[in-house]
Every structure is written in C-alpha cells, then in structure tokens.
Amino acid sequence: MINLGDRNIHLSYEQGSGGTSLCLTIAKNYLKNGKKVIWLSKYLPDRERTAQIFWELKSKELEKITFIQIENNLEEASKVLNYFSPKIDYEDIIIIDDWCAKDGRAKKKDIEALKNIVLNYKNTKILASSASYSNVGNNMQIWGSKGGNEVNDILDTIFLYRISKMNNVRILKDGADSKRIMLLETGFE
C-alpha cells in the first residue's frame, strides 16, 4: 500500500475514492503491530465503516488509538494534541484526516497549523489527508493537492483516485510510481 519509510505523507484523494478508508487501513496496520495511533479529524470516521476495517483488532490493540475531533480549526486541535505528546513514540503515527476543508483553497491558518504539527512532532510519522482537485487540460486530467508548495515542502504528496465509479480499483500515485489497489469491505488490500 503506502510505504511511509522515513517520510511524512500528504494523501491527496479524489472525493469518493476512499481516502478515509485508506487512512483507517493504515491505522489498523499500526495498531496490529502494537503501535499507537492518534487520529485528528473534523468529522469522526463512520462507525460502521470503522468497524468493518477494524473488525479483526483485539481490545488491547484498539486501546492504542485516540480520536480527537477538530471542532473549530486544526490549530485548536493541535493544542489538544500536546497533551498526548509525552506518550507518542517515533514508531507511532498521527493521522490528520481532512486537515482542511474539502471545498475551496486550504486556509492559511490550517496550512500553518499543519506545518507546526509536522515541526513539533519530527520524531513521529504523520499522515495528513485532504480532498484533491482536478484540472482538465489537453484531454488529460491533472490532479492537484491542497496547500501548494508550503505543504509539499514538508510532506510527500501521494494521490489516490478512482479508475471508474463502477468498481473498487483505485490508483495510488507516488511520484512517478503508480499502483492499483483494491478497496474491500475490510479496507484496502
């Protein structure tokens, strides 16, 4: 799926392609390996979808995930994150699902808050997701990510998009590399 390696990722996804499901699948893999997950999101993931993806996790593994709802803006949520910082290890992950609004440009204060989180948690993996936008030109669809160069300077951007609305095959584009992944009931495979 996504190889985080030693980098932090900005997952820029086509709306409806399963961006949150991919983040939940990555969270599940961290939890299965005994790592902690801190999940920040304006909207908590759908309960039924989360249960489908997390179904095989044991109680001990589920105790290692913390959900923080972004009520007003990412900057305020990042202050709540400070309470958990002593408990976060370099092998753990912070997932920020939909770090900015799905429509329109990312707000400057959200970009700054994201940059501060990345700088303050240098020793922890960070996966931030946001809806991408597309431009159609020269008979090609070109995907763009929110936050522009300011986000691209601190996170490696990977794109997730659908081949067709009629099937569960998705394309994960990481730089020049592309691969097909399947969205199943239990998450991505």
Side-chain angles (χ1 to χ4, degrees), residues 90-154:
Y90 70 94
E91 294 180 343
D92 300 329
I93 190 167
I94 298 170
I95 297 175
I96 310 166
D97 190 35
D98 291 324
W99 66 269
C100 64
K102 290 185 184 226
D103 299 321
R105 292 182 175 268
K107 293 180 181 174
K108 187 74 173 164
K109 67 181 177 181
D110 287 334
I111 294 171
E112 289 302 316
L114 181 62
K115 286 168 58 177
N116 286 334
I117 291 170
V118 171
L119 291 173
N120 290 337
Y121 297 93
K122 289 185 246 198
N123 297 326
T124 304
K125 293 275 183 271
I126 296 175
L127 169 63
S129 74
S130 68
S132 58
Y133 60 89
S134 69
N135 294 320
V136 178
N138 297 332
N139 295 326
M140 288 183 58
Q141 190 169 25
I142 301 168
W143 292 97
S145 62
K146 301 233 176 138
N149 288 335
E150 289 186 77
V151 173
N152 291 334
D153 288 345
I154 59 169

Side-chain angles (χ1 to χ4, degrees), residues 4 22-40 45 54 57 60-68 81 84 87-89 91-97 124-127:
L4 294 173
L22 182 55
C23 289
L24 285 167
T25 304
I26 291 168
K28 174 182 75 173
N29 291 336
Y30 269 78
L31 295 169
K32 281 172 72 173
N33 288 314
K35 310 300 180 222
K36 293 184 212 94
V37 174
I38 296 181
W39 182 285
L40 280 82
F54 285 5
L57 294 175
K60 188 173 186 175
E61 294 164 332
L62 288 169
E63 290 172 359
K64 293 184 180 259
I65 189 166
T66 301
F67 289 95
I68 301 171
L81 185 59
F84 296 96
K87 299 175 183 174
I88 299 173
D89 193 355
E91 294 180 343
D92 300 329
I93 190 167
I94 298 170
I95 297 175
I96 310 166
D97 190 35
T124 304
K125 293 275 183 271
I126 296 175
L127 169 63

Side-chain angles (χ1 to χ4, degrees), residues 41-54:
S41 182
K42 190 165 192 81
Y43 307 101
L44 295 176
D46 179 77
R47 280 188 332 206
E48 289 179 28
R49 187 68 183 129
T50 303
Q52 287 175 325
I53 294 173
F54 285 5

